[in-house]
């Protein structure tokens, strides 16, 4: 049985995207204009590239969207369920590099995702 998609709450349409992506004027993108479209319609609107997928998965961790994370996790390493730490505070995402691999449908993204739980960096 598949779990129903959790639609975006109206309040989330106005927030800055947790992934930190900037527009052409170097201003943070709104969640609805960035990762929100993938989290709300991942069956119909998959992330178009590796960096966008990685950013959307970071946003899903911040927003505790297990449905999206499990749906976008490779079956060979996907856990049966996810448990989010209630005290975790996500501090930011930094994309360091990205590169296409061969075959071209593969890519690599190097990033740092910062999180704090109970006063400790994870």
């Amino acid at each position: 049985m598949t779990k129903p998609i959790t639609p975006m709450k109206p309040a989330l349409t106005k927030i800055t995207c947790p992934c930190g992506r900037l527009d052409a004027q170097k201003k943070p993108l709104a969640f609805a204009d960035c990762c929100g479209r993938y989290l709300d319609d991942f069956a119909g609107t998959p992330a178009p590239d590796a960096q966008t997928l990685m950013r959307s998965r970071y946003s899903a961790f911040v927003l505790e969207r297990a449905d999206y994370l499990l749906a976008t996790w490779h079956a060979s390493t996907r856990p049966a369920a996810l448990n989010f730490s209630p005290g975790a505070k996500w501090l930011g995402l930094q994309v360091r590099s990205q590169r296409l691999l061969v075959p071209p449908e593969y890519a690599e993204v190097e990033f740092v995702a910062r999180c704090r739980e109970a006063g400790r960096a994870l």
Side-chain angles (χ1 to χ4, degrees), residues 98-111:
Q98 61 180 338
R99 67 185 182 116
L100 294 177
L101 303 174
V102 175
E105 61 268 11
Y106 291 92
E108 187 176 88
V109 179
E110 180 183 355
F111 65 94

Side-chain angles (χ1 to χ4, degrees), residues 24-82:
Q25 289 77 38
K26 305 286 186 202
K27 294 182 182 178
L29 286 173
F31 177 70
D33 298 328
C34 192
C35 295
R37 62 184 139 181
Y38 308 114
L39 271 69
D40 277 352
D41 188 24
F42 53 86
T45 309
D49 56 53
Q51 183 180 161
T52 302
L53 175 62
M54 184 273 311
R55 286 179 173 281
S56 66
R57 287 178 51 78
Y58 174 84
S59 293
F61 271 107
V62 172
L63 300 171
E64 299 184 355
R65 288 287 305 272
D67 59 334
Y68 183 78
L69 291 166
L70 293 171
T72 58
W73 208 308
H74 193 276
S76 67
T77 59
R78 179 177 48 230
L82 290 174

